[in-house]
C-alpha cells in the first residue's frame, strides 16, 4: 500500500508522537475521504493537538478511541503501538487494513534505500554506511528510527535508514539493500515472544531486496536467515565472520579478502561488536559497487573521523581518573554483555537495572562467570538481576536505591583507573521520561559526586 492508495479512503492514524504527526501531514496531502488521529492513552486530553494538525485531522481518544479506529478502512499505526495490543486482532478481524508510516514510505522509495535493522548496532552501522557512502561520492539522507521519521524525509537519490522491529513488522516492500547487524531476544512484550520478535525483525528481508548483508559472526542470526535469499536467489552476504570477505584479522587489521585495508584502531569505537559493524558497513559498500580496496585511503579517513553516537559507550571525563561510560541505550542482557567486553582488562563496575520486562538474565550470568567485576543493581529489575548473579566467584554485587546513589557507591568501590559503566540491560521508562533523561541524571550524578 502506497500513500496514493489512501486517496478517497477513510484513514485513522493511531498515535500522536512524531511518527503520527508525520503520517497525518503526509496522508492529508493525498486527500483521504476522512482522516482522524487516535490517542489511546489515559491522558489523551493533555496531548497538544492544535493549529495545522487539528485542521488536518481531529483527535479522538478515551471512550471514542476504538470506535474511531474501527470506523476506518485503513489504520496507520505508529511504531509505539505494539503488535500485542488487544485492539490489533479485533481490527483485523473486521477486515481493516493495518499498516505503518514506514511501510507507506518504503513502498515508494525501496529502490533508493539501504535499510538497517538489528538487536544491537543498527544505529551505528546505519550512520557508518551513510558516512562512508558520502566519503566515496554517494550523497545520501540518513533517517528513520535514528532521527527524522520516514514520512518527513526530503527527496533524495539515496537513503540510509535505521529501522526498528516495530517499523519492520508492517513492511510489504524490502529496501534495495537490507542489512541485519545482530539478533537476540528483545522487546518480547511488544511482539508477543521471541519467535514473533525474530519474525517481525526479519520481515525486512522478505519482500525482494536486491542485496542482503548480515553479521556472519552472529550465530543466531546466521541460523535464522538460513534459506533466505535476495531477489536474484542469492543467500545473504555474511560479513565479520572468520571466513568472510570483510573481517578483522588476528593482526587487528580490517581485511577485504587477502588485502589489508587499514588498522581496526582507525575506528575509535570500542568493542568487538563495533569492529563487526564496520565490516558489515564495508560489505554494503562493496555490494553497491564501491571499489573498497581502491578507495581504502578515503574510507580510512572517514572511519577515523567517525565519532560514534550519543548514549552508546560514550565516555565521560572525570577528574578522579575513573572513566564513566554512558551506555544507557543498552536495554537487554546481550547489549550489556557487549559493553562489558569492550572494557575487558580494566577494573570494572557496571550499573544494571531498569524497567522489569521479565527478561532472562541467565545469559548475563554465564557471561560473567570467572570475571572479576562489581555489579550495582538499580530499580526496578536490579535486585532480580543480582539474584541471578548470586554465587558467582569474583562477582561482587550491591543494591542502590537510585541512579545517583549508584554513582556515589561506584566511586567508593571502583579501583583507581577503573571504569564505571552504565549499561542497564533494561529500558528507562517508569523512573525516567526516556533514555535521554536517564543519561542526563547519570551525567549530573557524576558531576555532583566528584
Amino acid at each position: 500500500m502506497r500513500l496514493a492508495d489512501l486517496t478517497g479512503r477513510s484513514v485513522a492514524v493511531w498515535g500522536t508522537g512524531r511518527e503520527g504527526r508525520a503520517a497525518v501531514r503526509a496522508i492529508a496531502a493525498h486527500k483521504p475521504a476522512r482522516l482522524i488521529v487516535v490517542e489511546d492513552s489515559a491522558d489523551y486530553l493533555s496531548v497538544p493537538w492544535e493549529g495545522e494538525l487539528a485542521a488536518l485531522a481531529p483527535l479522538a481518544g478515551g471512550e471514542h478511541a476504538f470506535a474511531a479506529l474501527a470506523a476506518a478502512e485503513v489504520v496507520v499505526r505508529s511504531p509505539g503501538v505494539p503488535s500485542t495490543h488487544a485492539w490489533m486482532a479485533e481490527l483485523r478481524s473486521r477486515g481493516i487494513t493495518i499498516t505503518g508510516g514506514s511501510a507507506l514510505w518504503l513502498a515508494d522509495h525501496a529502490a533508493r534505500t539501504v535499510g538497517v535493522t538489528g538487536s544491537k548496532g543498527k544505529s551505528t552501522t546505519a550512520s557508518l554506511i551513510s558516512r562512508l557512502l558520502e566519503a566515496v561520492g554517494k550523497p545520501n539522507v540518513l533517517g528513520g528510527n535514528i532521527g527524522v521519521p520516514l514520512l518527513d524525509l526530503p527527496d533524495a537519490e539515496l537513503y540510509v535508514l535505521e529501522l526498528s522491529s516495530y517499523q519492520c513488522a508492517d513492511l510489504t516492500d524490502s529496501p534495495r539493500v537490507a542489512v541485519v547487524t545482530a539478533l537476540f531476544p528483545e522487546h518480547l512484550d511488544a511482539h508477543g515472544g521471541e519467535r514473533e520478535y525474530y519474525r517481525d525483525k526479519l520481515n525486512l528481508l522478505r519482500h525482494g531486496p536486491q542485496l542482503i548483508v548480515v553479521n556472519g559472526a552472529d550465530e543466531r542470526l546466521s541460523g535464522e536467515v538460513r534459506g533466505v535469499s535476495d531477489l536474484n536467489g542469492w543467500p545473504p552476504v555474511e560479513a565479520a565472520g572468520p571466513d568472510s570477505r570483510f573481517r578483522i584479522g588476528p593482526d587487528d587489521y580490517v581485511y577485504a579478502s587477502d588485502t589489508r585495508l587499514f588498522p581496526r584502531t582507525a575506528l575509535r569505537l570500542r568493542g568487538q561488536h563495533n569492529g563487526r559493524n564496520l565490516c558489515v558497513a564495508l560489505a554494503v559498500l562493496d555490494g553497491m559497487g564501491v571499489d573498497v580496496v581502491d578507495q581504502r585511503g578515503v574510507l580510512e579517513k572517514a572511519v577515523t573521523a567517525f565519532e560514534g553516537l550519543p548514549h552508546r559507550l560514550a565516555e565521560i571525563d572525570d577528574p578522579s581518573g575513573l572513566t564513566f561510560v554512558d551506555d544507557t541505550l543498552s536495554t537487554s542482557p546481550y547489549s550489556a554483555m557487549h559493553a562489558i567486553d569492550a572494557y575487558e582488562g580494566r577494573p570494572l563496575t557496571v550499573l544494571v537495572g531498569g524497567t522489569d520486562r521479565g527478561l532472562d538474565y541467565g545469559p548475563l550470568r554465564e557471561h560473567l562467570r570467572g570475571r572479576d567485576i562489581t555489579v550495582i543493581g538499580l530499580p526496578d529489575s536490579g535486585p532480580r538481576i543480582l539474584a541471578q548473579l548470586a554465587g558467582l566467584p569474583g562477582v561482587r554485587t550491591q543494591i542502590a536505591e537510585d541512579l545517583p546513589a549508584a554513582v556515589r557507591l561506584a566511586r567508593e568501590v571502583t579501583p583507581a583507573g577503573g571504569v564505571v559503566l552504565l549499561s542497564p540491560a533494561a529500558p528507562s521508562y517508569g523512573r525516567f521520561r526516556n533514555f535521554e533523561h536517564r543519561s542526563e541524571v547519570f551525567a549530573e550524578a557524576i558531576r555532583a559526586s566528584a
Side-chain angles (χ1 to χ4, degrees), residues 340-362:
I340 289 166
D341 284 348
Y343 291 92
E344 190 171 7
R346 293 184 64 182
L348 180 62
T349 298
V350 59
L351 316 184
V352 300
T355 306
D356 195 340
R357 297 179 295 168
L359 294 178
D360 176 18
Y361 287 94

PDB file of all heavy atoms in Angstrom, residues 340-362:
ATOM      1  N   ILE A 340      30.328  -4.734  28.411  1.00  0.00           N
ATOM      2  CA  ILE A 340      31.287  -5.248  29.397  1.00  0.00           C
ATOM      3  C   ILE A 340      32.552  -5.746  28.694  1.00  0.00           C
ATOM      4  O   ILE A 340      33.678  -5.484  29.135  1.00  0.00           O
ATOM      5  CB  ILE A 340      30.621  -6.350  30.234  1.00  0.00           C
ATOM      6  CG1 ILE A 340      29.564  -5.732  31.170  1.00  0.00           C
ATOM      7  CG2 ILE A 340      31.653  -7.141  31.041  1.00  0.00           C
ATOM      8  CD1 ILE A 340      28.619  -6.727  31.790  1.00  0.00           C
ATOM      9  N   ASP A 341      32.386  -6.437  27.590  1.00  0.00           N
ATOM     10  CA  ASP A 341      33.541  -6.940  26.837  1.00  0.00           C
ATOM     11  C   ASP A 341      34.425  -5.804  26.331  1.00  0.00           C
ATOM     12  O   ASP A 341      35.639  -5.962  26.184  1.00  0.00           O
ATOM     13  CB  ASP A 341      33.079  -7.778  25.644  1.00  0.00           C
ATOM     14  CG  ASP A 341      32.587  -9.163  26.061  1.00  0.00           C
ATOM     15  OD1 ASP A 341      32.815  -9.547  27.225  1.00  0.00           O
ATOM     16  OD2 ASP A 341      31.983  -9.853  25.222  1.00  0.00           O
ATOM     17  N   ALA A 342      33.815  -4.655  26.030  1.00  0.00           N
ATOM     18  CA  ALA A 342      34.577  -3.532  25.488  1.00  0.00           C
ATOM     19  C   ALA A 342      35.606  -3.001  26.483  1.00  0.00           C
ATOM     20  O   ALA A 342      36.568  -2.336  26.081  1.00  0.00           O
ATOM     21  CB  ALA A 342      33.627  -2.410  25.069  1.00  0.00           C
ATOM     22  N   TYR A 343      35.426  -3.284  27.779  1.00  0.00           N
ATOM     23  CA  TYR A 343      36.361  -2.799  28.805  1.00  0.00           C
ATOM     24  C   TYR A 343      37.078  -3.938  29.508  1.00  0.00           C
ATOM     25  O   TYR A 343      37.530  -3.795  30.650  1.00  0.00           O
ATOM     26  CB  TYR A 343      35.606  -1.905  29.796  1.00  0.00           C
ATOM     27  CG  TYR A 343      35.190  -0.611  29.146  1.00  0.00           C
ATOM     28  CD1 TYR A 343      33.940  -0.483  28.545  1.00  0.00           C
ATOM     29  CD2 TYR A 343      36.067   0.456  29.061  1.00  0.00           C
ATOM     30  CE1 TYR A 343      33.575   0.687  27.904  1.00  0.00           C
ATOM     31  CE2 TYR A 343      35.711   1.636  28.419  1.00  0.00           C
ATOM     32  CZ  TYR A 343      34.463   1.742  27.846  1.00  0.00           C
ATOM     33  OH  TYR A 343      34.110   2.899  27.197  1.00  0.00           O
ATOM     34  N   GLU A 344      37.199  -5.047  28.811  1.00  0.00           N
ATOM     35  CA  GLU A 344      37.908  -6.190  29.363  1.00  0.00           C
ATOM     36  C   GLU A 344      39.355  -5.803  29.672  1.00  0.00           C
ATOM     37  O   GLU A 344      40.021  -5.113  28.905  1.00  0.00           O
ATOM     38  CB  GLU A 344      37.885  -7.354  28.369  1.00  0.00           C
ATOM     39  CG  GLU A 344      38.384  -8.655  28.940  1.00  0.00           C
ATOM     40  CD  GLU A 344      38.141  -9.826  28.005  1.00  0.00           C
ATOM     41  OE1 GLU A 344      37.701  -9.596  26.859  1.00  0.00           O
ATOM     42  OE2 GLU A 344      38.382 -10.965  28.429  1.00  0.00           O
ATOM     43  N   GLY A 345      39.845  -6.238  30.826  1.00  0.00           N
ATOM     44  CA  GLY A 345      41.210  -5.944  31.222  1.00  0.00           C
ATOM     45  C   GLY A 345      41.345  -4.736  32.126  1.00  0.00           C
ATOM     46  O   GLY A 345      42.439  -4.455  32.621  1.00  0.00           O
ATOM     47  N   ARG A 346      40.234  -4.014  32.352  1.00  0.00           N
ATOM     48  CA  ARG A 346      40.271  -2.873  33.265  1.00  0.00           C
ATOM     49  C   ARG A 346      39.343  -3.139  34.444  1.00  0.00           C
ATOM     50  O   ARG A 346      38.316  -3.822  34.296  1.00  0.00           O
ATOM     51  CB  ARG A 346      39.832  -1.596  32.551  1.00  0.00           C
ATOM     52  CG  ARG A 346      40.790  -1.140  31.462  1.00  0.00           C
ATOM     53  CD  ARG A 346      40.357   0.167  30.852  1.00  0.00           C
ATOM     54  NE  ARG A 346      40.378   1.270  31.817  1.00  0.00           N
ATOM     55  CZ  ARG A 346      40.006   2.521  31.521  1.00  0.00           C
ATOM     56  NH1 ARG A 346      39.604   2.806  30.288  1.00  0.00           N
ATOM     57  NH2 ARG A 346      40.052   3.466  32.434  1.00  0.00           N
ATOM     58  N   PRO A 347      39.654  -2.622  35.649  1.00  0.00           N
ATOM     59  CA  PRO A 347      38.715  -2.757  36.774  1.00  0.00           C
ATOM     60  C   PRO A 347      37.369  -2.169  36.386  1.00  0.00           C
ATOM     61  O   PRO A 347      37.302  -1.049  35.863  1.00  0.00           O
ATOM     62  CB  PRO A 347      39.389  -1.939  37.886  1.00  0.00           C
ATOM     63  CG  PRO A 347      40.830  -1.885  37.511  1.00  0.00           C
ATOM     64  CD  PRO A 347      40.875  -1.872  36.012  1.00  0.00           C
ATOM     65  N   LEU A 348      36.307  -2.920  36.624  1.00  0.00           N
ATOM     66  CA  LEU A 348      35.014  -2.534  36.062  1.00  0.00           C
ATOM     67  C   LEU A 348      33.897  -2.650  37.091  1.00  0.00           C
ATOM     68  O   LEU A 348      33.757  -3.667  37.770  1.00  0.00           O
ATOM     69  CB  LEU A 348      34.686  -3.411  34.849  1.00  0.00           C
ATOM     70  CG  LEU A 348      33.361  -3.139  34.128  1.00  0.00           C
ATOM     71  CD1 LEU A 348      33.323  -1.729  33.556  1.00  0.00           C
ATOM     72  CD2 LEU A 348      33.152  -4.155  33.001  1.00  0.00           C
ATOM     73  N   THR A 349      33.106  -1.569  37.181  1.00  0.00           N
ATOM     74  CA  THR A 349      31.848  -1.576  37.924  1.00  0.00           C
ATOM     75  C   THR A 349      30.742  -1.282  36.934  1.00  0.00           C
ATOM     76  O   THR A 349      30.800  -0.280  36.207  1.00  0.00           O
ATOM     77  CB  THR A 349      31.851  -0.509  39.031  1.00  0.00           C
ATOM     78  OG1 THR A 349      32.893  -0.804  39.965  1.00  0.00           O
ATOM     79  CG2 THR A 349      30.516  -0.477  39.756  1.00  0.00           C
ATOM     80  N   VAL A 350      29.751  -2.146  36.866  1.00  0.00           N
ATOM     81  CA  VAL A 350      28.663  -1.954  35.906  1.00  0.00           C
ATOM     82  C   VAL A 350      27.356  -1.741  36.658  1.00  0.00           C
ATOM     83  O   VAL A 350      27.073  -2.419  37.660  1.00  0.00           O
ATOM     84  CB  VAL A 350      28.558  -3.154  34.922  1.00  0.00           C
ATOM     85  CG1 VAL A 350      28.315  -4.461  35.640  1.00  0.00           C
ATOM     86  CG2 VAL A 350      27.468  -2.909  33.883  1.00  0.00           C
ATOM     87  N   LEU A 351      26.578  -0.760  36.202  1.00  0.00           N
ATOM     88  CA  LEU A 351      25.286  -0.427  36.796  1.00  0.00           C
ATOM     89  C   LEU A 351      24.186  -1.024  35.923  1.00  0.00           C
ATOM     90  O   LEU A 351      24.105  -0.715  34.733  1.00  0.00           O
ATOM     91  CB  LEU A 351      25.107   1.094  36.890  1.00  0.00           C
ATOM     92  CG  LEU A 351      26.298   1.920  37.398  1.00  0.00           C
ATOM     93  CD1 LEU A 351      25.911   3.392  37.517  1.00  0.00           C
ATOM     94  CD2 LEU A 351      26.810   1.391  38.716  1.00  0.00           C
ATOM     95  N   VAL A 352      23.354  -1.884  36.519  1.00  0.00           N
ATOM     96  CA  VAL A 352      22.321  -2.582  35.749  1.00  0.00           C
ATOM     97  C   VAL A 352      20.963  -2.400  36.418  1.00  0.00           C
ATOM     98  O   VAL A 352      20.865  -2.232  37.621  1.00  0.00           O
ATOM     99  CB  VAL A 352      22.642  -4.089  35.612  1.00  0.00           C
ATOM    100  CG1 VAL A 352      23.958  -4.311  34.895  1.00  0.00           C
ATOM    101  CG2 VAL A 352      22.652  -4.780  36.970  1.00  0.00           C
ATOM    102  N   GLY A 353      19.923  -2.468  35.618  1.00  0.00           N
ATOM    103  CA  GLY A 353      18.569  -2.428  36.140  1.00  0.00           C
ATOM    104  C   GLY A 353      17.758  -1.290  35.562  1.00  0.00           C
ATOM    105  O   GLY A 353      18.284  -0.230  35.205  1.00  0.00           O
ATOM    106  N   GLY A 354      16.469  -1.512  35.441  1.00  0.00           N
ATOM    107  CA  GLY A 354      15.527  -0.536  34.908  1.00  0.00           C
ATOM    108  C   GLY A 354      14.145  -1.160  34.918  1.00  0.00           C
ATOM    109  O   GLY A 354      13.823  -1.955  35.796  1.00  0.00           O
ATOM    110  N   THR A 355      13.347  -0.832  33.934  1.00  0.00           N
ATOM    111  CA  THR A 355      12.012  -1.412  33.842  1.00  0.00           C
ATOM    112  C   THR A 355      12.122  -2.927  33.721  1.00  0.00           C
ATOM    113  O   THR A 355      12.874  -3.436  32.887  1.00  0.00           O
ATOM    114  CB  THR A 355      11.274  -0.855  32.622  1.00  0.00           C
ATOM    115  OG1 THR A 355      11.283   0.575  32.689  1.00  0.00           O
ATOM    116  CG2 THR A 355       9.847  -1.360  32.575  1.00  0.00           C
ATOM    117  N   ASP A 356      11.388  -3.632  34.553  1.00  0.00           N
ATOM    118  CA  ASP A 356      11.476  -5.090  34.556  1.00  0.00           C
ATOM    119  C   ASP A 356      10.470  -5.675  33.571  1.00  0.00           C
ATOM    120  O   ASP A 356       9.263  -5.651  33.803  1.00  0.00           O
ATOM    121  CB  ASP A 356      11.213  -5.644  35.959  1.00  0.00           C
ATOM    122  CG  ASP A 356      11.654  -7.093  36.103  1.00  0.00           C
ATOM    123  OD1 ASP A 356      11.796  -7.774  35.066  1.00  0.00           O
ATOM    124  OD2 ASP A 356      11.859  -7.543  37.244  1.00  0.00           O
ATOM    125  N   ARG A 357      10.987  -6.180  32.450  1.00  0.00           N
ATOM    126  CA  ARG A 357      10.135  -6.807  31.428  1.00  0.00           C
ATOM    127  C   ARG A 357      10.156  -8.327  31.533  1.00  0.00           C
ATOM    128  O   ARG A 357       9.714  -9.019  30.632  1.00  0.00           O
ATOM    129  CB  ARG A 357      10.596  -6.384  30.032  1.00  0.00           C
ATOM    130  CG  ARG A 357      10.476  -4.904  29.759  1.00  0.00           C
ATOM    131  CD  ARG A 357      10.982  -4.562  28.377  1.00  0.00           C
ATOM    132  NE  ARG A 357      12.403  -4.825  28.251  1.00  0.00           N
ATOM    133  CZ  ARG A 357      13.059  -4.827  27.093  1.00  0.00           C
ATOM    134  NH1 ARG A 357      12.405  -4.609  25.979  1.00  0.00           N
ATOM    135  NH2 ARG A 357      14.354  -5.070  27.058  1.00  0.00           N
ATOM    136  N   GLY A 358      10.718  -8.833  32.644  1.00  0.00           N
ATOM    137  CA  GLY A 358      10.758 -10.275  32.832  1.00  0.00           C
ATOM    138  C   GLY A 358      11.784 -10.993  31.992  1.00  0.00           C
ATOM    139  O   GLY A 358      11.669 -12.202  31.773  1.00  0.00           O
ATOM    140  N   LEU A 359      12.814 -10.272  31.509  1.00  0.00           N
ATOM    141  CA  LEU A 359      13.831 -10.905  30.670  1.00  0.00           C
ATOM    142  C   LEU A 359      14.637 -11.927  31.461  1.00  0.00           C
ATOM    143  O   LEU A 359      14.787 -11.829  32.686  1.00  0.00           O
ATOM    144  CB  LEU A 359      14.792  -9.848  30.110  1.00  0.00           C
ATOM    145  CG  LEU A 359      14.218  -8.835  29.123  1.00  0.00           C
ATOM    146  CD1 LEU A 359      15.296  -7.855  28.710  1.00  0.00           C
ATOM    147  CD2 LEU A 359      13.646  -9.539  27.905  1.00  0.00           C
ATOM    148  N   ASP A 360      15.172 -12.905  30.763  1.00  0.00           N
ATOM    149  CA  ASP A 360      16.033 -13.926  31.356  1.00  0.00           C
ATOM    150  C   ASP A 360      17.456 -13.395  31.398  1.00  0.00           C
ATOM    151  O   ASP A 360      18.061 -13.141  30.355  1.00  0.00           O
ATOM    152  CB  ASP A 360      15.956 -15.210  30.521  1.00  0.00           C
ATOM    153  CG  ASP A 360      16.917 -16.288  31.022  1.00  0.00           C
ATOM    154  OD1 ASP A 360      17.388 -16.187  32.175  1.00  0.00           O
ATOM    155  OD2 ASP A 360      17.183 -17.231  30.251  1.00  0.00           O
ATOM    156  N   TYR A 361      17.987 -13.230  32.603  1.00  0.00           N
ATOM    157  CA  TYR A 361      19.362 -12.746  32.744  1.00  0.00           C
ATOM    158  C   TYR A 361      20.353 -13.888  32.949  1.00  0.00           C
ATOM    159  O   TYR A 361      21.502 -13.650  33.314  1.00  0.00           O
ATOM    160  CB  TYR A 361      19.436 -11.723  33.881  1.00  0.00           C
ATOM    161  CG  TYR A 361      18.794 -10.409  33.484  1.00  0.00           C
ATOM    162  CD1 TYR A 361      17.463 -10.145  33.788  1.00  0.00           C
ATOM    163  CD2 TYR A 361      19.503  -9.468  32.767  1.00  0.00           C
ATOM    164  CE1 TYR A 361      16.862  -8.966  33.401  1.00  0.00           C
ATOM    165  CE2 TYR A 361      18.907  -8.279  32.364  1.00  0.00           C
ATOM    166  CZ  TYR A 361      17.586  -8.026  32.684  1.00  0.00           C
ATOM    167  OH  TYR A 361      16.995  -6.858  32.286  1.00  0.00           O
ATOM    168  N   GLY A 362      19.924 -15.114  32.667  1.00  0.00           N
ATOM    169  CA  GLY A 362      20.830 -16.249  32.708  1.00  0.00           C
ATOM    170  C   GLY A 362      22.026 -16.089  31.780  1.00  0.00           C
ATOM    171  O   GLY A 362      23.159 -16.403  32.167  1.00  0.00           O
TER     172      GLY A 362
END
